Amino acid sequence: MKDLYNLLKDLKKNFFTKDYSLHKPYFDRGDENEVKKVVRSSWVSTKGFKTIEFEKKLKNYFNIKNTIAVNSGTSGLFLALRSLGVNSSDEVIVPNLSFIATGNVVYYCNATPHLVDIGNNDLNICPKKLNIHLSRYTKIKNNICINKKTGKKISAIIAVHVFGHMCNMVELKKISKKYKIPLIEDAAESLGSTFNGKKPGYYSDIAVLSFNGNKIVTAAAGGAVITKNTQIAKKIMSLATINNNKKTLYQDHKALGYN
């Protein structure tokens, strides 16, 4: 705990501004002109031309074909869990140090956060501790990881890249496969980060970005979900919209959508 205390003290001293914000955005005249273009186009709703252009740039940057812009990183994490069918009979592994959104989205699904320990060196989920924890407290039954104490399914691992420092994704991917648990990256703070030269989304089933005002790139708000799995992407797109059937004049809604 002493090592962790000193690390947090150092972070407070060197990384936070006087008003304790992580990062203040910088806007220049070019940014102002781009906002004017959008306002003058009158397309300021969900899927405007700039949103589509932004999604394409993210696809090219991550080299992942499925990229879905949403209204916040929190929404992206929630949609990631919902696309995996997470519900009240499930548990989701989250680190015991993170921004509150990581735990909140589990509650949004009426599921239970299952806290696991972090490493002292990077504040991220410790793969060694996680592997020991899962081997001790879970079992595999019908290809499903079950908490032996609660009887609930462990339906996802959310790996948070704290302050943009990526988790050991190679080891977490091995654990994910070993215990049959989908792997989600909370990459809210790690646009531009890599692990072994690989960007968020490479090792995981789903990665989620944030464009909040204190992030590396900001749109004042917003987020994005990236995934290599086209079926997951289609599910997230349906959930992120109003889930309409485009063949019937947009008024036939097949299931719940969150808009």
Side-chain angles (χ1 to χ4, degrees):
M1 286 301 294
K2 186 177 180 181
D3 289 341
L4 181 57
Y5 173 79
N6 289 334
L7 182 55
L8 291 171
K9 187 177 179 181
D10 185 59
L11 286 168
K12 179 180 177 182
K13 178 181 178 182
N14 294 298
F15 289 94
F16 288 90
T17 60
K18 289 182 179 180
D19 61 359
Y20 293 98
S21 62
L22 279 174
H23 171 71
K24 288 188 176 180
Y26 169 77
F27 301 111
D28 60 19
R29 186 61 60 84
D31 296 312
E32 293 178 23
N33 290 336
E34 289 301 317
V35 172
K36 286 179 182 178
K37 286 180 186 177
V38 173
V39 172
R40 287 169 180 166
S41 75
S42 79
W43 198 303
V44 292
S45 191
T46 321
K47 283 290 180 183
F49 65 97
K50 280 294 180 182
T51 303
I52 295 169
E53 181 184 333
F54 190 39
E55 286 177 329
K56 287 179 179 178
K57 288 186 176 182
L58 288 172
K59 285 180 187 179
N60 292 335
Y61 176 75
F62 287 99
N63 195 27
I64 292 177
K65 61 181 178 180
N66 301 302
T67 303
I68 302 145
V70 291
N71 63 0
S72 70
T74 303
S75 294
L77 287 172
F78 169 66
L79 293 169
L81 292 180
R82 292 295 295 129
S83 72
L84 297 174
V86 175
N87 57 45
S88 59
S89 62
D90 298 337
E91 295 178 6
V92 176
I93 289 176
V94 295
N96 58 5
L97 176 70
S98 179
F99 183 59
I100 191 62
T102 314
N104 280 348
V105 296
V106 181
Y107 283 117
Y108 295 164
C109 298
N110 296 313
T112 304
H114 185 129
L115 298 179
V116 297
D117 207 359
I118 58 168
N120 289 342
N121 295 324
D122 60 7
L123 305 184
N124 294 329
I125 287 179
C126 176
K128 185 177 180 180
K129 293 177 182 178
L130 176 60
N131 191 47
I132 293 170
H133 179 81
L134 290 172
S135 66
R136 185 176 298 168
Y137 296 109
T138 69
K139 62 181 179 181
I140 304 296
K141 184 178 179 181
N142 298 327
N143 268 345
I144 295 173
C145 186
I146 304 293
N147 184 331
K148 290 191 286 190
K149 185 176 181 179
T150 65
K152 290 188 174 184
K153 174 185 174 183
I154 309 291
S155 56
I157 298 170
I158 301 180
V160 181
H161 305 316
V162 175
F163 294 114
H165 296 284
M166 286 185 66
C167 302
N168 186 334
M169 295 304 298
V170 171
E171 293 303 314
L172 288 180
K173 183 63 177 178
K174 289 178 184 176
I175 293 170
S176 167
K177 292 180 72 174
K178 178 180 177 181
Y179 291 95
K180 319 295 184 185
I181 309 172
L183 180 58
I184 298 170
E185 290 175 81
D186 182 340
E189 299 174 352
S190 53
L191 179 64
S193 300
T194 60
F195 182 81
N196 283 0
K198 305 299 183 183
K199 301 180 177 99
Y202 179 83
Y203 294 102
S204 63
D205 297 284
I206 308 169
V208 179
L209 306 167
S210 172
F211 307 112
N212 191 38
N214 63 353
K215 297 303 187 293
I216 303 299
V217 170
T218 183
V225 184
I226 57 176
T227 177
K228 291 174 283 189
N229 188 310
T230 300
Q231 289 304 114
I232 287 177
K234 287 179 179 178
K235 181 67 174 174
I236 288 173
M237 179 59 77
S238 294
L239 291 167
T241 57
I242 50 176
N243 215 328
N244 55 26
N245 186 345
K246 294 182 179 180
K247 295 180 181 179
T248 57
L249 296 176
Y250 300 93
Q251 300 304 315
D252 177 18
H253 305 284
K254 298 176 288 184
L256 180 68
Y258 294 97
N259 195 27

